[in-house]
Amino acid sequence: SRFLSRQLASRDIKAQYRQSYFGILWAFITPLTTAFVWIFLNQSGIISLTDTGVPYPVYAFTGTIIWSIIIDAINAPMQSTNAARSILTKINFPKEALIVSGIYKLLFNSLIKIVLIIVFLVIYGVPFQGLLFLFPLGLIGIIFCGTTLGLLLTPMGLLYNDVGKLIGLGMRFMMYAAPVVYMIPSKGLMKTVMEWNPFTPLVTVTRVLLIGSPMPYLDYYLWILILCIPLFFVVLVIYRISIPVIAERLSA
């Protein structure tokens, strides 16, 4: 299914930007907007945030970019399957091609965002750390975890549009319960919530690989990856079995 995956990804990427005036800029306009809002609130004194150890614009921007990649990874399986709904009942092809094509598109958009992060690091004088060469592994880790969760939700998401809306609503809440634009508090209920949030180690460890500093939650991060490996194969089997049935039902 590799050839089919590349063809589908190429088609979708071209279609995504062909009729857009801003084109590829849309890949990072949303995280840029979110980051700039928090940078403005912090610099204007409207909110006071704990020192992050690096220039706050770098902290906020790297967090929102990493978060946008996680969201894209969760949405990719459902979006790729939805885009191919018209051919699912007409052509017999490996359904894994849809998942792989979604990952190709995700990697394409993510590389654009990473280039912008590097520009931010240079502008604000953040030195490149020795762990930077491990950043691609961190990026692959969050894409793998997000894709696993997205695969789990895709069958229900195809049947009920409410699932996609709930994902968007839930991820907005989870963003504020993770150290995306501010540090984990030193005490209180929010500290407990953020430390138990499974997205916290995904954001924290991946960001540390970019900007340096001590690496908390590495054990938590590794445990999440380990748990996602068997879960991925389980939900992949469920996906293979359920998608033809769901596609036939939707076309009826």
Side-chain angles (χ1 to χ4, degrees):
S1 62
R2 289 191 298 270
F3 174 77
L4 178 59
S5 301
R6 290 193 296 269
Q7 293 297 107
L8 291 173
S10 176
R11 179 203 65 179
D12 292 343
I13 290 172
K14 292 176 181 177
Q16 183 178 357
Y17 299 114
R18 184 182 298 119
Q19 295 180 331
S20 172
Y21 181 78
F22 291 104
I24 211 164
L25 289 175
W26 286 111
F28 45 78
I29 283 179
T30 300
L32 265 177
T33 304
T34 303
F36 284 153
V37 168
W38 281 90
I39 292 169
F40 170 77
L41 293 175
N42 183 51
Q43 293 184 347
S44 64
I46 297 175
I47 58 174
S48 179
L49 300 173
T50 306
D51 180 35
T52 60
V54 294
Y56 181 72
V58 173
Y59 185 90
F61 186 65
T62 54
T64 52
I65 287 292
I66 292 170
W67 188 254
S68 71
I69 294 173
I70 293 174
I71 293 177
D72 289 345
I74 294 173
N75 288 327
M78 192 180 306
Q79 291 175 347
S80 296
T81 308
N82 258 324
R85 183 182 294 186
S86 60
I87 64 173
L88 279 171
T89 55
K90 299 175 182 177
I91 304 173
N92 184 21
F93 63 94
K95 305 304 181 290
E96 291 88 351
L98 301 176
I99 308 304
V100 178
S101 70
I103 294 175
Y104 282 154
K105 290 182 288 183
L106 179 59
L107 289 173
F108 176 82
N109 290 329
S110 298
L111 287 175
I112 301 168
K113 297 174 182 178
I114 299 309
V115 170
L116 194 58
I117 286 181
I118 300 300
V119 172
F120 255 67
L121 295 180
V122 172
I123 291 175
Y124 284 93
V126 178
F128 295 109
Q129 305 296 320
L131 293 175
L132 185 61
F133 73 96
L134 292 176
F135 174 73
L137 296 179
L139 184 65
I140 291 171
I142 62 175
I143 289 176
F144 177 69
C145 293
T147 301
T148 301
L149 180 57
L151 269 176
L152 178 65
L153 298 172
T154 294
M156 291 296 295
L158 293 177
L159 289 174
Y160 305 103
N161 293 330
D162 296 341
V163 173
K165 297 177 182 178
L166 287 173
I167 291 174
L169 181 63
M171 293 305 290
R172 286 193 204 98
F173 168 76
M174 295 298 281
M175 174 180 170
Y176 296 111
V180 176
V181 290
Y182 46 76
M183 298 282 286
I184 298 176
S186 58
K187 58 182 179 179
L189 176 62
M190 200 62 183
K191 178 179 185 295
T192 303
V193 171
M194 292 177 75
E195 287 183 337
W196 279 96
N197 184 353
F199 292 105
T200 292
L202 299 180
V203 174
T204 302
V205 172
T206 308
R207 178 195 274 131
V208 167
L209 294 175
L210 268 174
I211 64 177
S213 72
M215 189 178 292
Y217 311 111
L218 179 60
D219 292 345
Y220 193 4
Y221 176 88
L222 293 175
W223 273 113
I224 290 175
L225 285 181
I226 291 170
L227 290 174
C228 280
I229 292 172
L231 179 60
F232 174 80
F233 290 105
V234 171
V235 296
L236 182 60
V237 171
I238 296 173
Y239 178 87
R240 282 180 56 91
I241 295 173
S242 62
I243 291 305
V245 177
I246 293 173
E248 186 175 346
R249 174 179 172 180
L250 292 174
S251 64

